[in-house]
């Protein structure tokens, strides 16, 4: 129980973080990490270099197996689009992996530490709806630009060169911001846990990613993303169950609830030295009754709005999501994005509801500086599991950083290759040339990633600051990019003016509010909620408003003709039946994703928080229900994202295993027969059409035969 202040420590459960000072006084540890590493540097280097090397070799091996035994052709089209034939489970897994940044694991627990239960909810809901709604854009790509390689190719085909250059700049800026956040969070945690030099970590983390992305392109990225997703979700489930069922320190929702009530008690003494500036202590400012156990939190709500705006930018303006949509099989696209969004919700929500609230319930002496650098989850993991917890968290973080990092490499590579090299330097580039340029860009940007992280670390930019600022910088491009595929009247001049003026007005508003509110402009004042909220809202709303007004005044009345004329580099026969691209089928898919995407958006952004408001300060029963939702969502989501890709690809897995354990001479004969059959089909197109129709018919009849007695 809390003391009146005469006892030292104030809570029995956090006694190790307090000492008697100056006779009768009680002093709290000044910070959790105190500048000391928990693990040896050798562990840090082992994780970075060991995992990096393992994934580089293992993923490249998987790509080789697919080429050898499934017959994939490693052309430039395959390298950058994975054959446009990726199924629902793998697309969902890729979305989860691509959207699980360092910030997802680290920043989500920071806002739980700051605002209580509302923080994880607003982080998760505010960054899930973009993926759900992007499913609509993904279907529109299949309808209106089926052969596109990047989002900027579509911009150029519709709006011309000037707009192309503007949006290419915004896409590159988005990739740089996302990359910066990945490495800022990753290097800070590696440094805090193992003592590895923060600048060395910035350069070493991307190494393994560069190798397997160079070897296998987008397909290697997808395969690595799946493996990374599996590891992230296994560790997620371990931490969630540890906090709420297995830990000796916590171990049940009731203990967590009681502790959260105690640490936020109004009777708690919070002056020096019993608590230090920037540490959590006593009632929470801006929360109902000062409680961590309420959705009535002004700080949580403001963060939620900033989060929603910023993440629209990093989904709609990040070419990585467009590349994933382009790679997806048309019939899988909408389902993959919906499933991916719903499963991803569990990563920040379940993880931060356990590790973020766990840090508060343990009364850890974390400082605001440590929290902003993303050190809340590692602190809780260490407090509950010791060195084992820090290794688990480090592994989870490494998976998140490298997986999302490989996606950014491919995103930048495809922009440079198709939107700069093929558009402005060599329009007649062959597939081999495109492949060389793609690999050169991957290598170059991979090295730049490390340099960028070093510069930002030197400048004192934190993960938290960068996360909140991203919407100000790129939010103005969101609505113009959405209008590009959704609104035939959207004009080029409106898009250019909306994106550029919206960005400038957002930055001016952001800096002006910081100056007016706090009297000075620096990293501290610009990172606070009021300037960030104002800048984010002005950026996204003015960008959309300017584009809409210009388009109403001077509409384009576009017919999508030029976007449908975007060409592929190597014209190969597709494995997809023609029915996949039929307009009626795609319109049905669009109606489905609009219904479910908008429906789930309404539920998690409006209905859920509104229904939780009458609860006010949560009771023990209500909090237990909340914790059970976090546990169940995390568990079910993890099972789905691990099992579905294996189930869907079982035929391919069988082919590879059969090939591996079959006589090579026999495999050569089979390959020769396949080559002959392909040659015949190329010579007689009608034969291939009949074959594909019969294949589809056989697939439909198979389930019927299985249910018959």
């Amino acid at each position: 129980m809390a003391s009146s202040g005469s006892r030292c420590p104030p809570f029995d459960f956090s006694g190790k973080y307090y000492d008697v000072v100056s006779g009768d006084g009680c002093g709290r540890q000044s910070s959790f990490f105190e500048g000391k590493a928990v693990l040896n540097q050798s562990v840090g280097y082992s994780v970075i270099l060991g995992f990096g090397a393992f994934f580089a070799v293992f993923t490249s091996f998987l790509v080789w197996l697919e080429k050898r035994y499934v017959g994939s052709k490693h052309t430039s089209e395959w390298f950058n689009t994975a054959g446009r034939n990726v199924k629902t489970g793998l697309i969902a897994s890729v979305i989860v992996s691509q959207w699980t940044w360092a910030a997802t694991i680290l920043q989500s627990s920071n806002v739980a530490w700051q605002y209580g239960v509302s923080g994880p909810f607003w982080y998760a809901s505010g960054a899930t709806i973009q993926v759900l709604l992007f499913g609509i854009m993904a279907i529109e790509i299949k309808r209106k630009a089926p052969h596109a390689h990047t989002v900027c190719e579509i911009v150029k085909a519709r709006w011309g060169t000037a707009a192309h250059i503007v949006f290419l700049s915004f896409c590159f800026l988005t990739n740089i911001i996302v990359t910066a956040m990945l490495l800022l969070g990753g290097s800070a945690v590696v440094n805090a846990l193992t003592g590895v030099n923060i600048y060395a970590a910035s350069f070493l983390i991307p190494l393994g990613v560069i190798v397997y992305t160079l070897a296998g392109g987008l397909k290697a990225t997808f395969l690595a993303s799946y493996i990374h997703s599996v590891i992230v979700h296994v560790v997620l489930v371990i931490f969630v169950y540890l906090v709420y069922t297995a830990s000796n320190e916590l171990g049940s929702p009731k203990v967590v609830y009681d502790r959260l009530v105690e640490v936020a008690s109004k009777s708690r003494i919070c002056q020096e030295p019993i608590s230090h500036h920037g540490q959590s202590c006593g009632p929470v400012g801006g929360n109902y009754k000062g409680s961590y156990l309420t959705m009535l939190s002004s700080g949580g709500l403001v963060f939620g709005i900033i989060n929603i705006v910023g993440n629209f930018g990093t989904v709609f303006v990040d070419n990585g999501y467009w590349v994933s949509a382009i790679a997806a099989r048309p019939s899988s696209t909408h389902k993959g994005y919906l499933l991916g969004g719903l499963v991803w919700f569990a990563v920040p929500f379940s993880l931060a509801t356990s590790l973020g609230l766990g840090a508060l319930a343990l009364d850890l002496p974390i400082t605001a500086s440590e929290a902003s650098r993303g050190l809340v989850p590692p602190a809780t993991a260490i407090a509950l599991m010791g060195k084992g917890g820090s290794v688990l968290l480090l592994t989870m973080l490494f998976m998140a950083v490298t997986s999302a990092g490989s996606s950014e490499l491919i995103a930048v590579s495809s922009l440079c290759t198709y939107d700069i090299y093929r558009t402005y330097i060599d329009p007649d580039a062959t597939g081999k040339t495109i492949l060389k340029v793609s690999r050169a860009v991957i290598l170059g940007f991979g090295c730049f990633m490390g340099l960028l992280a070093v510069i930002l670390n030197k400048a004192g930019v934190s993960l938290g600051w960068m996360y909140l600022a991203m919407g100000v910088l790129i939010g103005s491009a969101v609505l113009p990019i959405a209008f590009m595929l959704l609104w035939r009247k959207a004009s080029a001049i409106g898009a250019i003016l909306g994106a550029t003026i919206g960005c400038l007005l957002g930055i001016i508003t952001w800096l002006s509010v910081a100056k007016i509110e706090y009297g000075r402009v620096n990293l501290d004042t610009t990172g606070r909620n009021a300037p960030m909220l104002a800048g984010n809202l002005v950026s996204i709303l003015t960008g959309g408003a300017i584009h809409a007004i210009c388009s109403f005044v001077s509409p384009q009345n576009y017919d999508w003709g030029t976007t449908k004329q975007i060409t592929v580099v190597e014209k190969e026969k597709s494995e997809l039946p023609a029915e996949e691209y039929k307009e009626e089928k795609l319109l049905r898919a669009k109606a489905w994703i609009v219904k479910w995407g908008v429906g789930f958006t309404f539920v998690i952004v409006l209905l859920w928080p509104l229904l939780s408001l009458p609860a006010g300060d949560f009771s023990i029963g209500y909090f237990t229900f909340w914790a059970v939702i976090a546990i169940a969502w995390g568990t079910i989501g993890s099972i789905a994202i691990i099992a579905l890709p294996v189930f869907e690809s079982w035929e391919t897995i069988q082919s590879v295993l059969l090939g591996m354990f079959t006589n090579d001479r026999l495999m050569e004969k089979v390959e020769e027969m396949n080559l002959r059959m392909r040659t015949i089909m190329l010579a007689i197109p009608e034969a291939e059409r009949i074959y594909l129709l019969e294949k589809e018919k056989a697939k439909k009849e198979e389930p019927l035969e299985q249910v018959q007695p």
Side-chain angles (χ1 to χ4, degrees):
M1 293 299 291
S3 75
S4 62
S6 57
R7 281 185 59 203
C8 188
F11 308 109
D12 292 333
F13 57 80
S14 59
K16 67 176 89 168
Y17 306 116
Y18 292 86
D19 286 307
V20 176
V21 292
S22 305
D24 296 332
C26 190
R28 192 180 189 185
Q29 198 170 297
S30 59
S31 69
F32 184 84
F33 288 96
E34 296 185 308
K36 299 171 192 168
V38 181
L39 301 168
N40 291 328
Q41 281 195 19
S42 58
V43 177
Y45 284 113
S46 298
V47 168
I48 295 173
L49 298 176
F51 273 124
F54 170 76
F55 279 105
V57 172
F58 185 62
T59 311
S60 303
F61 177 62
L62 290 179
V63 170
W64 177 82
L65 284 178
E66 188 186 41
K67 181 183 178 182
R68 176 75 179 81
Y69 297 113
V70 183
S72 296
K73 287 192 174 181
H74 288 201
T75 62
S76 72
E77 284 292 319
W78 178 90
F79 189 88
N80 286 291
T81 68
R84 303 177 197 260
N85 190 22
V86 182
K87 295 174 184 172
T88 304
L90 190 54
I91 281 293
S93 174
V94 166
I95 295 305
V96 172
S97 190
Q98 200 170 321
W99 206 209
T100 303
W101 302 345
T104 310
I105 294 167
L106 307 175
Q107 179 71 4
S108 59
S109 289
N110 177 16
V111 290
W113 179 81
Q114 285 181 280
Y115 310 119
V117 293
S118 67
F121 173 80
W122 284 119
Y123 191 106
S125 64
T128 296
I129 60 172
Q130 296 84 352
V131 176
L132 302 181
L133 296 175
F134 191 81
I136 300 167
M137 306 300 291
I139 284 293
E140 290 297 271
I141 296 168
K142 301 298 183 188
R143 290 183 61 221
K144 294 167 180 171
H147 301 303
H149 304 88
T150 70
V151 59
C152 291
E153 267 193 331
I154 306 171
V155 170
K156 187 171 192 310
R158 175 165 183 177
W159 287 331
T161 302
H164 182 240
I165 292 167
V166 168
F167 284 93
L168 194 55
S169 304
F170 274 101
C171 285
F172 279 133
L173 179 59
T174 306
N175 294 130
I176 288 168
I177 289 170
V178 173
T179 301
M181 283 192 288
L182 292 173
L183 291 180
L184 280 173
S187 59
V189 171
V190 169
N191 172 257
L193 291 180
T194 68
V196 168
N197 182 280
I198 200 163
Y199 305 123
S202 302
F203 276 104
L204 292 175
I205 288 171
L207 265 185
V209 185
I210 294 170
V211 174
Y212 70 69
T213 312
L214 277 173
L218 189 63
K219 192 57 178 277
T221 294
F222 281 11
L223 292 171
S225 292
Y226 171 69
I227 302 163
H228 291 165
S229 276
V230 170
I231 295 170
V232 165
H233 280 87
V234 167
V235 177
L236 165 74
V237 170
I238 289 170
F239 280 134
V240 171
Y241 278 92
L242 179 71
V243 170
Y244 287 108
T245 64
S247 164
N248 292 328
E249 300 260 1
L250 298 171
S252 75
K254 183 181 185 309
V255 173
V256 175
Y257 177 88
D258 290 342
R259 299 272 187 88
L260 290 174
V261 170
E262 284 187 76
V263 297
S265 167
K266 289 179 181 174
S267 63
R268 184 174 179 183
I269 295 171
C270 291
Q271 70 259 33
E272 299 273 356
I274 201 166
S275 186
H276 305 286
H277 177 70
Q279 292 182 330
S280 61
C281 183
V284 192
N287 279 23
Y288 177 67
K289 293 185 178 178
S291 172
Y292 287 112
L293 296 155
T294 182
M295 282 291 286
L296 291 162
S297 166
S298 59
L301 180 60
V302 167
F303 169 76
I305 296 168
I306 295 170
N307 196 36
I308 289 169
V309 175
N311 283 304
F312 264 111
T314 49
V315 171
F316 280 68
V317 194
D318 186 345
N319 187 49
Y321 292 89
W322 295 81
V323 167
S324 296
I326 288 162
R329 175 188 283 252
S331 59
S332 304
T333 308
H334 53 302
K335 296 172 190 169
Y337 274 81
L338 188 80
L339 177 63
L342 293 176
V343 170
W344 181 86
F345 182 94
V347 179
F349 180 64
S350 302
L351 191 67
T353 300
S354 54
L355 293 184
L357 296 184
L360 295 167
L362 293 165
D363 193 35
L364 302 181
I366 298 167
T367 63
S369 170
E370 287 177 325
S372 73
R373 287 187 291 135
L375 301 181
V376 175
T380 313
I382 291 163
L384 293 176
M385 293 179 71
K387 289 187 176 182
S390 59
V391 171
L392 269 183
L393 199 284
L394 191 62
T395 304
M396 186 187 204
L397 183 75
F398 184 80
M399 295 303 120
V401 171
T402 52
S403 180
S406 64
S407 165
E408 295 305 305
L409 282 175
I410 285 288
V412 171
S413 161
S414 56
L415 286 172
C416 290
T417 304
Y418 291 101
D419 288 285
I420 296 177
Y421 188 81
R422 192 184 178 213
T423 302
Y424 298 112
I425 298 171
D426 185 4
D428 300 316
T430 62
K432 282 185 178 178
T433 307
I434 293 286
L435 204 52
K436 282 179 186 172
V437 173
S438 297
R439 287 179 166 143
V441 173
I442 286 168
L443 187 60
F445 187 71
C447 297
F448 169 75
M449 287 164 73
L451 183 63
L452 177 69
V454 168
I455 293 167
L456 292 172
N457 273 313
K458 277 279 187 190
V461 175
S462 71
L463 171 67
W465 186 92
M466 185 65 79
Y467 187 83
L468 295 172
M470 62 190 179
V472 180
L473 301 172
I474 59 176
S476 61
V478 170
L479 289 172
I481 278 185
F483 290 155
M484 175 184 67
L485 281 177
L486 298 175
W487 191 25
R488 56 192 295 270
K489 289 184 178 180
S491 67
I493 189 68
I496 294 167
L497 292 176
T500 51
I501 294 174
C503 178
L504 289 172
L505 289 177
I507 293 170
I508 291 166
T509 305
W510 173 39
L511 300 179
S512 301
V513 172
K515 178 70 175 171
I516 293 163
E517 283 279 316
Y518 307 110
R520 62 193 185 282
V521 175
N522 57 28
L523 281 175
D524 175 42
T525 59
T526 53
R528 295 185 191 179
N529 276 353
M532 286 293 190
L533 178 64
N536 272 271
L537 286 175
V538 166
S539 184
I540 195 168
L541 294 177
T542 55
I546 290 168
H547 191 189
I549 291 164
C550 291
S551 300
F552 279 121
V553 171
S554 178
Q556 185 181 14
N557 296 317
Y558 186 62
D559 63 359
W560 317 108
T562 52
T563 57
K564 289 178 181 175
Q565 288 169 15
I566 295 171
T567 58
V568 296
V569 178
E570 291 117 336
K571 294 178 175 62
E572 293 179 341
K573 288 288 180 181
S574 172
E575 293 177 20
L576 294 172
E579 283 76 14
E580 284 276 351
Y581 285 97
K582 278 194 174 173
E583 183 70 2
E584 314 89 75
K585 190 170 184 177
L586 291 173
L587 284 173
R588 281 199 305 274
K590 183 183 174 184
W592 187 90
I593 190 64
V594 167
K595 179 176 76 173
W596 290 104
V598 173
F600 276 116
T601 297
F602 173 75
V603 168
I604 62 178
V605 171
L606 290 172
L607 191 61
W608 184 339
L610 286 173
L611 289 176
S612 68
L613 294 183
D617 190 4
F618 289 2
S619 65
I620 176 65
Y622 198 93
F623 177 71
T624 301
F625 172 63
W626 192 274
V628 167
I629 291 174
I631 295 167
W633 204 313
T635 307
I636 294 167
S638 298
I639 293 168
I641 213 68
I642 291 169
L644 186 59
V646 174
F647 173 75
E648 285 185 332
S649 301
W650 190 242
E651 209 174 288
T652 304
I653 293 167
Q654 282 180 311
S655 298
V656 170
L657 291 173
L658 184 66
M660 286 174 71
F661 297 104
T662 305
N663 184 282
D664 272 1
R665 179 80 180 146
L666 178 60
M667 288 305 300
E668 283 172 18
K669 291 287 183 188
V670 171
E671 282 175 11
E672 190 182 337
M673 285 176 63
N674 284 336
L675 181 62
R676 287 180 180 179
M677 291 302 295
R678 275 200 299 271
T679 308
I680 292 167
M681 285 186 170
L682 284 170
I684 313 171
E686 185 64 18
E688 182 173 23
R689 192 184 69 80
I690 294 167
Y691 162 72
L692 290 171
L693 287 171
E694 288 296 321
K695 190 177 175 183
E696 279 296 303
K697 188 178 170 186
K699 276 187 182 176
K700 287 173 185 172
E701 286 174 357
E702 210 174 86
L704 294 173
E705 288 172 7
Q706 288 174 359
V707 295
Q708 286 174 356

